[in-house]
Amino acid sequence: KAAYVIAQKTQADSILAVDNPQQDLPNSNYEVTAAISSFSHHQVLRHEEASISNVLSSLPNYDVLHLCCHGTDNLKNPLSSGLLMSDGLLTLRNVLNSQLSGIRLVILAADETGLSGISLPDEVVSFPSGLLQSGIAGVVAPLWSVSDFSTMMLFTRFYIFWRGENLEIAQA
């Protein structure tokens, strides 16, 4: 219910996009351009600018986060799962320690970030569930390795449906 309440109270007026910290995703620029195009207030942390400290300090200032990067899952220790930034791994533990709240949506355009841990099979412990626990209203994350081109196409259409055609996030 907390996620629903946050979603109802939070407008999606601004976006922070992380663009390809490792500089090896050839379609990330197109994806990020599509993501920010319908937001008047946006910031892009591109390549080496996408450091752990820059991302963590910028997160609380935006309603939507679009993270176009590589992800890694640690199934035995989900708090060590994370996103590869220009200077290392931004872990779920880092994000939880930031005590974020009031963010409407996080898009994890990164491989396998939706997988859950294996230590507690009756509990879902994953990067997305940790984000929800930290007070973020909604998360979109893949459960498998994704192609850079396919991801760019998917999220380009997602933003067209959500922001351009005013569909609800779940419908988009």
Side-chain angles (χ1 to χ4, degrees):
K1 182 171 177 160
Y4 177 78
V5 172
I6 294 167
Q8 297 303 309
K9 293 189 322 186
T10 306
Q11 297 296 316
D13 295 330
S14 62
I15 187 169
L16 170 67
V18 170
D19 183 6
N20 194 12
Q22 296 296 301
Q23 302 181 44
D24 60 352
L25 299 170
N27 295 294
S28 68
N29 185 52
Y30 301 114
E31 180 179 325
V32 167
T33 299
I36 66 171
S37 67
S38 63
F39 291 88
S40 58
H41 180 58
H42 62 269
Q43 179 183 3
V44 178
L45 295 175
R46 200 169 259 113
H47 308 304
E48 63 280 341
E49 294 174 342
S51 67
I52 295 168
S53 61
N54 282 348
V55 172
L56 286 174
S57 65
S58 298
L59 289 178
N61 303 317
Y62 295 91
D63 307 317
V64 177
L65 310 173
H66 187 102
L67 301 154
C68 183
C69 56
H70 293 289
T72 180
D73 252 344
N74 186 327
L75 297 177
K76 292 188 179 200
N77 184 2
L79 291 177
S80 295
S81 296
L83 303 170
L84 199 54
M85 296 295 115
S86 62
D87 61 345
L89 193 64
L90 173 64
T91 66
L92 177 56
R93 182 176 284 109
N94 298 136
V95 174
L96 290 175
N97 288 338
S98 298
Q99 300 186 8
L100 302 174
S101 64
I103 294 174
R104 176 61 188 97
L105 182 65
V106 174
I107 304 281
L108 297 172
D111 293 348
E112 301 176 6
T113 49
L115 296 175
S116 58
I118 57 175
S119 297
L120 302 168
D122 59 333
E123 298 179 21
V124 177
V125 181
S126 65
F127 205 91
S129 67
L131 293 174
L132 293 171
Q133 185 70 27
S134 72
I136 293 170
V139 179
V140 175
L143 296 171
W144 52 84
S145 292
V146 292
S147 146
D148 174 56
F149 181 76
S150 298
T151 302
M152 181 269 300
M153 294 297 294
L154 172 74
F155 286 117
T156 297
R157 295 298 298 163
F158 168 78
Y159 284 104
I160 289 169
F161 289 138
W162 176 37
R163 304 285 295 179
E165 298 183 16
N166 296 316
L167 293 178
E168 293 293 322
I169 290 171
Q171 294 173 313

